[in-house]
Amino acid sequence: MIRYDFTGRVAVVTGAGGGMGLEIATLILEAGGRVVMIDLKPEPADLPGDPDQRLYAQGDLTDAAFVTETINHAAERFGRIDYLANVAGVILFGKDVSLLDIDLDVWDRVFDITLKSMVHTARAAVPHMKAAGGGAMVHFSTVQCLRGDPAPQDAYSTSKAGVGALSRSLAMQLATDGIRSNTIYPGPSQTPMQDRWDSADKVDAVADVIPLGRVGTAKDMANAALFLLSDNAGYITGIDLVVDGGLLLR
Ligand SMILES: NC(=O)c1ccc[n+]([C@@H]2O[C@H](COP(=O)([O-])OP(=O)(O)OC[C@H]3O[C@@H](n4cnc5c(N)ncnc54)[C@H](O)[C@@H]3O)[C@@H](O)[C@H]2O)c1
């Protein structure tokens, strides 16, 4: 197991109220870092570390003013911002369908949450990262945007493809400021997002098509995110990292 030391570093993590975002925030807190946690959900119980290490902001990432105020307030309180993990996302099961049939309000809502929120967080965080002398970002896409799907969720997969494009653009624009930007493409993973897998049989059916023989976990994704944020990945920027147990090999 890699042991990280994030002492003195400050991370903004979106979607930190559950699933992968909560796992990333937890690992950074355990490694001595301070974390600004943003989510619609209330603050989870039993977070590790000292309460002074964290700032929990319950609110909507589609609200640019809320995002900017939260990140500016965190920078004032903690003195710096070093990392940004854009983890929040939604699948509106049953509503997010083919572009030929989708309600355009659903299309816009998915884009606002998944892609435009990344614009809000990056615009707010980058000036503080520059002031800190550099930093790192990791953004969450999905393997779904890298292949076709017989049951399309077109708003989700198209907005997630945009996440990768914006990440590479940020990587190019900010390299000379010492700010890295990378994207993780998770495969199917057991988190609150997939609470429709409500039996072992349903989980096993998904696992059956994954070469490594199991669905992903929040920890699998957090491990990848922590590496990309850490100084160990100091020469890695603009990459697309697939973390899917080999699913795309099929
Ligand atoms: N779980 C999977 O199978 C899977 C697969 C591929 C990609 N992903 C992606 O990984 C990321 C993390 O997913 P997860 O599985 O942890 O999902 P999750 O649903 O468990 O967590 C996502 C969090 O984002 C928050 N959120 C959603 N909309 C928000 C908003 N407008 N403002 C603030 N917070 C908001 C939710 O409240 C939730 O806590 C997402 O971007 C998701 O699209 C997940």
Side-chain angles (χ1 to χ4, degrees):
M1 197 175 81
I2 308 176
R3 289 204 177 278
Y4 296 103
D5 181 4
F6 284 104
T7 308
R9 304 287 177 91
V10 180
V12 176
V13 181
T14 75
M20 300 173 194
L22 175 57
E23 192 63 38
I24 291 166
T26 298
L27 293 184
I28 294 173
L29 289 168
E30 286 174 352
R34 288 166 292 171
V35 184
V36 187
M37 303 170 69
I38 306 177
D39 205 297
L40 283 174
K41 293 180 184 168
E43 182 169 359
D46 302 326
L47 291 169
D50 187 321
D52 286 347
Q53 270 177 268
R54 60 184 187 263
L55 189 159
Y56 195 89
Q58 186 177 1
D60 192 334
L61 288 156
T62 66
D63 179 347
F66 159 73
V67 170
T68 305
E69 277 162 29
T70 299
I71 292 177
N72 286 345
H73 172 61
E76 202 171 305
R77 174 164 153 193
F78 293 137
R80 57 192 294 133
I81 302 288
D82 301 280
Y83 307 123
L84 171 62
N86 279 312
V87 191
V90 281
I91 302 183
L92 300 180
F93 292 105
K95 292 185 182 163
D96 188 349
V97 291
S98 160
L99 78 160
L100 300 176
D101 303 314
I102 194 170
D103 178 327
L104 291 179
D105 289 337
V106 171
W107 180 274
D108 289 344
R109 179 78 185 142
V110 172
F111 267 71
D112 282 350
I113 295 170
T114 302
L115 186 58
K116 200 170 175 187
S117 73
M118 175 177 171
V119 177
H120 303 326
T121 54
R123 281 158 75 120
V126 163
H128 299 295
M129 290 181 171
K130 285 184 177 175
M137 305 182 195
V138 65
H139 316 280
F140 274 67
S141 180
T142 172
V143 288
Q144 198 178 326
C145 76
L146 302 175
R147 58 184 200 156
D149 189 336
Q153 292 161 324
D154 276 335
Y156 181 69
S157 57
T158 310
S159 60
K160 286 295 195 184
V163 168
L166 275 188
S167 173
R168 288 185 293 276
S169 181
L170 284 165
M172 193 72 195
Q173 293 177 53
L174 299 172
T176 52
D177 295 299
I179 299 173
R180 300 179 295 102
S181 174
N182 294 297
T183 307
I184 290 174
Y185 294 72
S189 305
Q190 196 148 26
T191 67
M193 177 174 273
Q194 301 289 9
D195 57 10
R196 65 200 169 128
W197 302 340
D198 54 3
S199 70
D201 284 351
K202 287 184 188 165
V203 177
D204 289 348
V206 180
D208 277 350
V209 298
I210 298 176
L212 287 182
R214 64 174 178 84
V215 300
T217 63
K219 191 75 170 272
D220 290 322
M221 305 308 148
N223 284 338
L226 257 74
F227 169 69
L228 287 175
L229 291 176
S230 76
D231 293 347
N232 291 354
Y235 201 54
I236 300 176
T237 195
I239 69 155
D240 297 312
L241 180 62
V242 172
V243 186
D244 70 344
L247 181 63
L248 285 190
L249 293 170
R250 285 191 185 275

